[in-house]
Amino acid sequence: QATHRIRNRSPFISPASPPWHHYFSLLATFPPVSLESMASKSAVTPKEKEEPSSMADVYNHELTPLQKHVAFFDRNKDGVIHPSETYEGFRAIGCGVALSAFSAVFINGLLGPKTIPENMKVGAFKFPIYVKNIHKGKHGSDSGVYDANGRFVPEKFEEIFKKHAHTRPDALTGKELNELLQANREPNDLKGRVGGFTEWKVLYSLCKDKEGFLHKETVRAVYDGSLFVKLEQERKQAKESAKKK
C-alpha cells in the first residue's frame, strides 16, 4: 500500500472544536508550572539519583507498543520523560509553542504521578513519566487499542475503521474522527476525554492529506511511535532543503 506523505500543518485546533474553557478549567487542577521549571532537569533529589540506571534498563528489553509510543519523547533515553522532553518532542514533530507547552503540562501532570515506581520520592512539580510503567498511566475514554499491559490489540484497531470510516474504508475524515471521539467518551471522565481529544486532533491536524483524510497506515504508525520519528525526520529534511535554497 502506497505511503502517503505527511503534511506539516498548523497544530492548533479549530475554534469550531468543543469549548476550550473546559480544558483550561481542567489545567487549573494541576499545580502551576513555569516554562523555566520545565526547561530545567538538573535539580534532582538524592533519591532520584539512585534510580536512573534501573529506569534506563527498560530499553534493554523488548518494549511494548505503548512503551514504543512514548519512547520518542524520552529524548535522552534514560527511561524518564520530563515535561521539558515532552515539550521538545512536540516541537520536533511540528507543534507550535503554545500547544507543546500545554501538552507538556497536561500529559506529564496527568500521567506522571501514575507511573512513579513504588517507594520512589519525586520532587514537587517535576511530573516525570516513567517509560517502564507507562501502562499504569492509560487514560479512559480511549479506543482500547492498547490493553491494560500496553500491548496492541489488532481487533480494536480494526474496529476504529469498521465503525467510523464511512467515506473510505482506510481513512477518517474530520467528521468521522469527531464521531469516534464521541463514541469513546466515558461518563464523568473529563481528563480522559481531554486526553483523547488532544491526541486525535493533533494527529489529524498534522497528518491529514490534501483532501482531509487521516489514513489508516498513519494511525497505525502512531501506536508504535514510528510516526513521530518520521515526522521529525521530515521536518529536519525540510529545514536543510530550505537552507540550501
Side-chain angles (χ1 to χ4, degrees):
Q1 190 175 19
T3 300
H4 301 270
R5 179 168 179 77
I6 295 169
R7 305 171 64 222
N8 287 323
R9 299 178 59 90
S10 170
F12 293 100
I13 309 305
S14 165
S17 301
W20 277 100
H21 67 270
H22 293 305
Y23 306 150
F24 292 123
S25 65
L26 179 61
L27 276 179
T29 64
F30 297 115
V33 180
S34 67
L35 288 176
E36 289 80 4
S37 64
M38 284 170 50
S40 174
K41 297 183 292 181
S42 58
V44 181
T45 63
K47 180 62 178 177
E48 286 177 280
K49 289 183 178 179
E50 298 173 8
E51 301 292 344
S53 61
S54 62
M55 292 301 103
D57 284 348
V58 66
Y59 296 111
N60 295 331
H61 309 281
E62 179 67 24
L63 298 179
T64 67
L66 182 54
Q67 288 172 336
K68 291 179 182 178
H69 173 79
V70 302
F72 171 81
F73 297 93
D74 183 9
R75 308 299 283 179
N76 62 3
K77 293 297 182 283
D78 65 350
V80 184
I81 305 171
H82 296 271
S84 59
E85 292 179 293
T86 303
Y87 174 84
E88 182 183 337
F90 270 84
R91 293 288 287 145
I93 63 176
C95 294
V97 171
L99 179 58
S100 298
F102 167 83
S103 300
V105 175
F106 178 75
I107 293 174
N108 282 72
L110 178 65
L111 304 185
K114 299 179 181 179
T115 67
I116 297 174
E118 294 182 8
N119 302 320
M120 178 180 288
K121 295 181 179 180
V122 175
F125 312 130
K126 289 183 178 294
F127 304 122
I129 294 174
Y130 291 84
V131 176
K132 183 177 181 179
N133 295 332
I134 188 59
H135 61 284
K136 297 181 179 180
K138 249 175 59 70
H139 62 73
S141 299
D142 66 355
S143 60
V145 176
Y146 294 123
D147 67 13
N149 295 309
R151 294 171 300 203
F152 182 78
V153 183
E155 296 80 9
K156 287 291 185 179
F157 176 74
E158 294 297 333
E159 193 175 277
I160 292 174
F161 295 88
K162 288 180 180 178
K163 287 186 175 181
H164 306 291
H166 308 300
T167 309
R168 288 179 49 172
D170 62 345
L172 296 171
T173 64
K175 183 178 180 180
E176 291 164 353
L177 179 57
N178 289 335
E179 177 186 293
L180 167 65
L181 292 171
Q182 183 71 30
N184 287 345
R185 288 185 176 183
E186 297 175 4
N188 304 315
D189 182 31
L190 180 58
K191 290 182 180 180
R193 292 182 185 185
V194 175
F197 175 86
T198 303
E199 292 165 357
W200 280 102
K201 285 295 186 177
V202 170
L203 174 62
Y204 183 78
S205 181
L206 288 174
C207 301
K208 64 183 177 182
D209 67 14
K210 294 180 180 180
E211 297 178 340
F213 287 103
L214 178 62
H215 292 273
K216 185 177 182 179
E217 64 189 51
T218 301
V219 178
R220 178 65 181 86
V222 172
Y223 284 104
D224 63 8
S226 60
L227 177 68
F228 304 137
V229 176
K230 182 178 180 180
L231 283 171
E232 182 176 29
Q233 290 175 342
E234 287 188 354
R235 283 181 57 79
K236 286 181 178 179
Q237 291 171 359
K239 288 181 179 179
E240 291 175 359
S241 298
K243 288 180 180 180
K244 293 178 182 179
K245 291 182 179 180

